[in-house]
Amino acid sequence: MEHIARFFFGVSGNVIALFLFLSPVVTFWRIIRKRSTEDFSGVPYNMTLLNCLLSAWYGLPFVSPNNILVTTINGTGSVIEAIYVVIFLIFAERKTRVKMMGLLGLVTSIFTMVVLVSLLALHGQGRKLFCGLAATIFSICMYASPLSIMRLVIKTKSVEFMPFLLSLSVFLCGTSWFIYGLLGRDPFIAIPNGCGSFLGLMQLILYAIYRNHKGATPAAAGKGAADDEVEDAKKAAAALEMADAKTNKVADTVADDGNKPADDKVASQV
């Protein structure tokens, strides 16, 4: 019965994860249409790519037996995420593109290192432990990568750049694979997906709080701060001008008082 339940959650995890991988399609269609990545972050897609690659490797029979469902969905996810990363690189600004290319290079290097070490230096349980630890660490990083977007939501009080479908998929996917890992007594699946379920829940709570707030974009917020600085500068200049006027008035008064006796003396002589 436990094996049937585990298989059920594995299949449901595959379906929900596929929906999770496809949920950013709307976002990337917007990027293609506007030919700009705007304020969207490319970090989550790079981290998801790395997670998919490592998880797909971990699920292979010669690394971790009885986890083929992990490999099927993460292999598919690797292809989908690679397409997203390429689209992001095409339409990102030059500065952002350079950063994302550096991050992509890091992702490729880490995956290559894990594969080579696990094939050439490790066997049996040691291979499973090493690949499981790598997959766990970067799965948690993947789930944590939207924290920057959550910070933006709190700052701008707007959920424009945190799509609801993506947040919901993260929560459902994390929950399904968390249960799958518990039933299989596999901490390398249960722990990171438990974290993902919790962070997905936090995103949904933020969405519920700010979904009716239009908020202000970061650019608008920056513009408002600049306007405040200009207004403060104008007030300071006005105060300085008033102080100069008072100083000149006092100087004129002193000069008039100094000339008054001389004027009186001339008048008496006349």
Side-chain angles (χ1 to χ4, degrees):
M1 188 68 181
E2 184 176 298
H3 294 291
I4 296 175
R6 186 169 186 261
F7 179 78
F8 170 77
F9 280 105
V11 172
S12 63
N14 269 252
V15 174
I16 297 172
L18 181 61
F19 184 75
L20 170 64
F21 295 141
L22 293 176
S23 60
V25 166
V26 175
T27 299
F28 278 89
W29 175 245
R30 171 175 170 171
I31 289 174
I32 293 172
R33 186 163 45 87
K34 293 192 173 184
R35 306 186 67 81
S36 170
T37 57
E38 300 181 279
D39 283 331
F40 291 107
S41 173
V43 174
Y45 306 104
N46 278 281
M47 298 309 300
T48 303
L49 174 60
L50 178 58
N51 171 66
C52 287
L53 290 171
L54 291 174
S55 296
W57 182 256
Y58 173 76
L60 291 173
F62 60 87
V63 177
S64 174
N66 303 318
N67 275 325
I68 193 63
L69 288 175
V70 175
T71 295
T72 55
I73 187 57
N74 283 286
T76 304
S78 298
V79 176
I80 295 173
E81 295 300 324
I83 294 173
Y84 292 155
V85 170
V86 170
I87 294 174
F88 195 92
L89 288 173
I90 291 173
F91 293 104
E93 295 180 355
R94 187 176 182 279
K95 184 178 179 180
T96 304
R97 186 183 299 118
V98 171
K99 290 182 179 179
M100 289 302 104
M101 288 185 68
L103 185 57
L104 179 60
L106 181 63
V107 166
T108 306
S109 300
I110 292 173
F111 177 66
T112 302
M113 182 195 70
V114 170
V115 169
L116 292 177
V117 171
S118 63
L119 285 178
L120 302 177
L122 300 171
H123 303 280
Q125 193 65 24
R127 177 184 291 169
K128 179 180 179 180
L129 179 63
F130 175 72
C131 295
L133 283 173
T136 298
I137 291 171
F138 290 102
S139 290
I140 293 175
C141 290
M142 178 201 72
Y143 282 124
S145 59
L147 287 174
S148 59
I149 297 299
M150 294 170 67
R151 177 177 173 273
L152 182 65
V153 169
I154 295 172
K155 182 178 180 180
T156 62
K157 302 186 185 302
S158 170
V159 295
E160 181 182 4
F161 297 105
M162 189 180 72
F164 172 75
L165 289 179
L166 185 61
S167 301
L168 179 63
S169 298
V170 168
F171 172 69
L172 293 177
C173 182
T175 302
S176 294
W177 286 110
F178 172 66
I179 297 174
Y180 177 88
L182 287 179
L183 293 174
R185 297 175 180 82
D186 192 330
F188 300 126
I189 296 177
I191 292 175
N193 286 287
C195 295
S197 178
F198 174 75
L199 289 173
L201 179 61
M202 292 300 99
Q203 291 181 47
L204 291 176
I205 292 174
L206 282 178
Y207 197 93
I209 294 172
Y210 295 114
R211 63 194 175 104
N212 293 325
H213 290 249
K214 292 184 177 180
T217 63
K223 183 179 179 182
D227 290 341
D228 290 340
E229 290 180 2
V230 171
E231 187 64 26
D232 290 340
K234 288 181 178 179
K235 290 179 179 179
L240 182 61
E241 184 178 351
M242 186 177 295
D244 288 341
K246 288 182 179 179
T247 302
N248 293 334
K249 183 176 181 181
V250 170
D252 291 342
T253 302
V254 172
D256 289 343
D257 290 342
N259 292 332
K260 187 174 181 181
D263 292 340
D264 293 341
K265 184 176 181 180
V266 171
S268 62
Q269 291 177 351
V270 172

